[in-house]
Amino acid sequence: MEELIELPKILDVRGNLTFMENSRHFPFDIKRVYWTYDIPGGEIRGGHAFYTQQELVVALSGSFDIVVKDKDGTERRYHLNRSYKGLYLPPLTWRHIENFSTNSLSLHLNSGDFSESDYIRDYEHFCNMA
């Protein structure tokens, strides 16, 4: 199940610092990193699940909502707006991202290299999986 993870935060009067380390702060080693930015108002990103990949999503700047949807239609909404908190998404977690603030920047850390065959892009297919 998905989990909100608080990352280490070092407070300093000159500015704060947050860091993360493979398998120490989240349960996988990073193989791929990407980020989204300049998202026009009202747009939705994601709308998929991964067969095998794990992901940690962090709002480096601004804010956005990650909506996780179960096979029975139940939804959980996570509002990310702090750069020291990340949402861990295990494999087979359907999600989409919405409600982006102006100048938001989302950082995505993945456990696998890009592979189109690892994406589940059809929610009905996702729901019918055993």
Side-chain angles (χ1 to χ4, degrees):
M1 180 156 205
E2 73 277 359
E3 173 186 5
L4 200 55
I5 295 174
E6 187 150 345
L7 299 166
K9 186 167 123 178
I10 299 172
L11 303 175
D12 190 301
V13 296
R14 301 167 298 164
N16 301 329
L17 182 143
T18 291
F19 64 95
M20 56 186 92
E21 297 172 350
N22 282 334
S23 299
R24 181 172 173 199
H25 298 114
F26 44 88
F28 62 89
D29 287 338
I30 300 167
K31 296 265 177 109
R32 178 168 62 122
V33 176
Y34 65 93
W35 49 97
T36 62
Y37 55 95
D38 294 340
I39 309 297
E43 288 298 323
I44 295 175
R45 298 294 311 232
H48 62 78
F50 292 112
Y51 285 105
T52 62
Q53 288 187 42
Q54 301 171 71
E55 184 172 43
L56 183 73
V57 183
V58 179
L60 290 182
S61 180
S63 65
F64 49 85
D65 295 336
I66 300 180
V67 180
V68 174
K69 189 172 182 180
D70 294 334
K71 292 178 180 182
D72 67 2
T74 302
E75 291 185 351
R76 289 175 297 289
R77 179 177 299 268
Y78 297 89
H79 184 70
L80 296 185
N81 64 352
R82 298 284 185 251
S83 58
Y84 56 87
K85 289 192 176 183
L87 182 62
Y88 168 69
L89 299 166
L92 300 174
T93 302
W94 188 271
R95 87 296 302 268
H96 75 264
I97 308 172
E98 62 184 26
N99 196 25
F100 292 90
S101 69
T102 302
N103 295 323
S104 63
L105 172 61
S106 66
L107 176 69
H108 302 253
L109 309 170
N110 287 73
S111 64
D113 295 328
F114 174 79
S115 172
E116 183 61 36
S117 64
D118 197 44
Y119 281 79
I120 307 166
R121 298 193 185 271
D122 182 287
Y123 181 69
E124 188 174 317
H125 171 72
F126 172 75
C127 290
N128 292 323
M129 292 173 56

